[in-house]
Amino acid sequence: MKTMTNLPFPLNYFKNSMRPETVFTGRKSLKLHQLLVVFIFLTSLLLVPVTLNVAKNPSISLETLMPSAFSRLDKQTVSAIKEADISEGKLNETAHVFLNEDKTVGFNLTKEEMAKLSSGISFNQTGMSLKDKSGYAFDVAYSKSFSLADSQTLDEFKNSISQEWLIQNKGFVALTLIMMSAGMIFMSELVLVIGGAFFIWVTRFNEASSIKTFRESVTLILNAMGLSSVLAMVVGLIKFDMTIVLSIQSLGLVVMLLAVFVKTRFNEDQTLRKMKQA
């Protein structure tokens, strides 16, 4: 039977992350590829509440993705579109015409005309074609209930278009939000790990410190992030707020590192003696 000090990966990581003493003494327990696996695991923990929240309520403004296209809409074009009326899934306007001087918004624009535009919107017979210089392009069919007649302001008009697009593109929206959140979480964790490991590594210049390599420092930081990452995930599942989730992980890491220093002084001989006496 294997002893507790020789547990296989990833059990050794979970054991080492439980106490300040083992966070420190387990700093040599992970190989390079295992460090990567742990980093991905901790990132994934914080993505769990994000994914569940997005699945329940995917929400993003189309104007955020297509700012240039939406900037072409003004009171003049909105008035013309409202007069034409869209009801029962159809545009009550058969004319082919541009609605602004820039020739970027119009009724029933051809595919060739849309292709020439860097950003523009065409209100066609059964749907809208939207294109933005950011690279996004969407064809949105009019639903039976879709109408722009009740939009009193330009912002309400834009929001009505955004909501119609959202209904038909929930999968895309969910994936976009998850990828954006994953990028933010990844960068936050990378800064925490690299920054924290650097400050721990600097202690090697103190003769009392047993930390000698940067890999030891990275492993120690990952060990110290274990409990706070789980706590952050649980809080995120109860009440989702990305700022709070990231703050809990960061604060938890700081608290654990303080506990590690108080318990070990980053000195292995002293720590092992205390652990044997306990």
Side-chain angles (χ1 to χ4, degrees):
M1 177 180 287
K2 292 186 177 182
T3 65
M4 287 297 289
T5 56
N6 293 318
L7 287 174
F9 180 79
L11 296 179
N12 61 338
Y13 171 76
F14 296 131
K15 170 183 171 289
N16 291 336
S17 64
M18 293 299 170
R19 297 170 54 202
E21 294 88 348
T22 53
V23 165
F24 175 70
T25 58
R27 71 189 185 281
K28 298 180 181 179
S29 62
L30 299 180
K31 298 177 181 178
L32 189 59
H33 71 279
Q34 292 172 341
L35 292 175
L36 180 61
V37 170
V38 171
F39 181 82
I40 293 173
F41 169 71
L42 296 179
T43 302
S44 300
L45 284 181
L46 300 196
L47 269 177
V48 171
V50 172
T51 304
L52 293 179
N53 183 69
V54 168
K56 289 189 295 184
N57 184 33
S59 180
I60 188 173
S61 171
L62 182 57
E63 188 173 6
T64 302
L65 299 179
M66 310 183 80
S68 181
F70 271 70
S71 70
R72 313 298 176 178
L73 295 170
D74 54 28
K75 291 182 179 180
Q76 177 184 341
T77 57
V78 168
S79 178
I81 295 164
K82 288 175 66 176
E83 286 181 11
D85 189 32
I86 298 172
S87 59
E88 296 298 318
K90 290 185 178 180
L91 170 68
N92 298 317
E93 175 62 68
T94 58
H96 168 270
V97 60
F98 286 102
L99 301 178
N100 60 353
E101 294 180 1
D102 294 339
K103 294 186 176 182
T104 52
V105 179
F107 291 133
N108 304 306
L109 304 185
T110 65
K111 291 183 179 179
E112 290 75 18
E113 288 171 327
M114 287 297 293
K116 292 178 182 178
L117 298 176
S118 61
S119 299
I121 303 176
S122 175
F123 293 88
N124 306 318
Q125 291 297 294
T126 58
M128 299 172 279
S129 294
L130 303 100
K131 181 182 178 182
D132 193 88
K133 64 182 181 181
S134 63
Y136 288 110
F138 299 101
D139 289 317
V140 182
Y142 305 134
S143 64
K144 291 289 185 179
S145 60
F146 179 63
S147 174
L148 296 169
D150 296 331
S151 301
Q152 301 299 317
T153 65
L154 180 58
D155 287 339
E156 288 180 2
F157 187 90
K158 292 178 178 180
N159 186 60
S160 296
I161 294 175
S162 184
Q163 288 301 313
E164 186 72 2
W165 166 81
L166 179 60
I167 292 171
Q168 300 176 37
N169 292 272
K170 285 187 176 180
F172 170 82
V173 172
L175 180 61
T176 299
L177 290 173
I178 290 172
M179 292 301 293
M180 290 171 60
S181 297
M184 181 173 65
I185 292 171
F186 174 83
M187 291 305 300
S188 175
E189 296 222 344
L190 190 63
V191 170
L192 277 179
V193 172
I194 300 300
F198 173 77
F199 284 108
I200 297 298
W201 177 72
V202 168
T203 66
R204 74 192 183 97
F205 297 108
N206 187 320
E207 293 183 359
S209 175
S210 299
I211 296 171
K212 302 302 179 186
T213 68
F214 192 72
R215 182 187 292 187
E216 289 180 41
S217 302
V218 171
T219 303
L220 191 154
I221 292 294
L222 291 176
N223 288 344
M225 288 174 66
L227 289 179
S228 63
S229 297
V230 172
L231 178 60
M233 179 191 71
V234 172
V235 171
L237 291 173
I238 297 172
K239 183 175 177 58
F240 179 75
D241 186 317
M242 199 68 246
T243 302
I244 293 176
V245 169
L246 293 176
S247 297
I248 289 174
Q249 186 190 50
S250 302
L251 181 61
L253 172 61
V254 171
V255 171
M256 178 60 84
L257 288 178
L258 286 174
V260 170
F261 178 74
V262 170
K263 292 283 188 178
T264 70
R265 302 293 175 177
F266 297 144
N267 185 286
E268 186 156 12
D269 292 337
Q270 175 182 318
T271 303
L272 291 176
R273 283 197 302 270
K274 287 183 178 180
M275 291 175 69
K276 288 179 180 179
Q277 293 171 2

